[in-house]
């Protein structure tokens, strides 16, 4: 009997055509951990705080997120957002303002959640922050700051807002605490000097802070791990 006449199920295993999954496909099928789900949850909350998602969309995506099983599920949830996980071979979306200088950034609205701007992000000249029962961190120490003067208007209601500026920054603080606290703190430990760093002119930060039963802290210099040279 010819090979072609043998029924499919009776053929030798190596004669059955098959396609091995590619590395990209295997990456998308990989099971995700609780920690990875929480990292994506932070991305979704941050997007809602920026106005990219409505709170209804946020709740819907969070519900889907906590039921997700694979890396591909996470990619699908954040495909239209910056900072989320990407499919293999797909470049990340440029965070914040798509690489263009922007005078006024999107208002950061935080309600019972947390938002952070850290690392190499593009700073707008004017930034408004409204935080209610949440936490906000604006870290300018590693950011791309194209302006000499930066204006930050913060309203904290039962919230904790931390603003970290470069060590040589000039801070002009206009505070209005109402049963709250607005304070500027000096770095307790100097950073490990970078021999390759070029000296830069100090930036001027005009910060107007209103704290109602909340707290606004302005800190100088990089985070502790950076100062110790750990990262």
């Amino acid at each position: 009997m010819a090979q072609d006449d043998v029924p499919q199920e009776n053929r030798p295993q190596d004669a059955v055509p098959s396609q091995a999954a590619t590395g990209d496909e295997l990456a998308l099928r990989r099971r995700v951990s609780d920690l990875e789900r929480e990292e994506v949850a932070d991305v979704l909350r941050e997007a809602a705080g920026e106005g990219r998602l409505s709170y209804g969309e946020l709740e819907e995506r969070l519900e889907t997120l906590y039921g997700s099983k694979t890396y591909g599920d996470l990619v699908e949830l954040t495909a239209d957002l910056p900072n989320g996980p990407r499919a293999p071979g797909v470049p990340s979306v440029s965070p914040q303002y798509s690489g263009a200088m922007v005078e006024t950034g999107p208002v950061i609205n935080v309600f019972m959640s947390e938002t952070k701007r850290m690392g190499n992000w593009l700073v707008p000249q004017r930034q408004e922050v409204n935080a209610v029962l949440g936490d906000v961190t604006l870290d300018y120490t590693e950011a791309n700051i194209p302006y000499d003067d930066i204006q930050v208007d913060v309203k904290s209601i039962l919230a904790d807002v931390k603003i970290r500026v470069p060590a040589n920054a000039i801070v002009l603080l206009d505070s209005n605490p109402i049963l709250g606290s607005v304070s500027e703190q000096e770095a307790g430990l100097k950073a490990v000097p970078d021999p390759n760093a070029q000296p830069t002119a100090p930036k001027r930060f005009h910060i107007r802070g209103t704290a109602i039963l909340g707290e606004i802290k302005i800190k100088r210099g990089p985070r502790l791990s950076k100062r110790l040279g750990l990262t």
Side-chain angles (χ1 to χ4, degrees), residues 30-201:
R30 178 179 63 80
R31 292 273 179 155
V32 294
S33 65
D34 288 339
L35 178 59
E36 289 172 304
R37 293 187 188 94
E38 286 302 326
E39 290 174 348
V40 173
D42 288 341
V43 172
L44 295 175
R45 294 187 185 104
E46 182 175 331
E50 294 172 347
R52 300 180 193 273
L53 296 176
S54 68
Y55 285 108
E57 290 173 317
L58 173 62
E59 291 179 0
E60 182 179 344
R61 294 199 191 194
L62 285 174
E63 183 178 353
T64 303
L65 168 66
Y66 289 118
S68 63
K69 295 182 173 61
T70 68
Y71 182 79
D73 294 336
L74 304 187
V75 170
E76 185 175 350
L77 275 172
T78 59
D80 57 348
L81 301 174
N83 304 324
R86 298 289 160 214
V90 176
S92 297
V93 177
S94 299
Q96 313 310 327
Y97 315 117
S98 305
M101 290 174 61
V102 172
E103 290 189 359
T104 303
V107 177
I108 298 175
N109 292 310
V110 172
F111 177 69
M112 298 183 68
S113 59
E114 181 181 19
T115 290
K116 294 182 179 181
R117 295 285 187 280
M118 303 173 70
N120 185 19
W121 59 290
L122 182 61
V123 174
Q125 188 172 31
R126 292 186 292 273
Q127 180 68 67
E128 181 180 348
V129 178
N130 299 312
V132 180
L133 292 168
D135 295 300
V136 177
T137 298
L138 298 179
D139 189 340
Y140 292 92
T141 58
E142 300 175 63
N144 179 6
I145 308 177
Y147 301 98
D148 293 331
D149 288 86
I150 299 92
Q151 300 176 14
V152 186
D153 191 347
V154 181
K155 295 182 180 66
S156 170
I157 303 175
L158 291 167
D160 185 9
V161 178
K162 293 180 285 292
I163 302 173
R164 188 174 290 278
V165 300
N168 67 340
I170 299 171
V171 176
L172 304 172
L173 179 61
D174 178 8
S175 62
N176 183 28
I178 303 173
L179 297 177
S181 171
V182 181
S183 62
E184 181 181 352
Q185 303 174 358
E186 294 291 335
L189 181 66
K190 291 184 178 180
V192 176
D194 182 356
N196 299 318
Q198 297 295 324
T200 57

Side-chain angles (χ1 to χ4, degrees), residues 192 224-231:
V192 176
L224 179 61
S225 58
K226 286 285 184 181
R227 296 200 300 269
L228 295 174
L230 300 178
T231 57

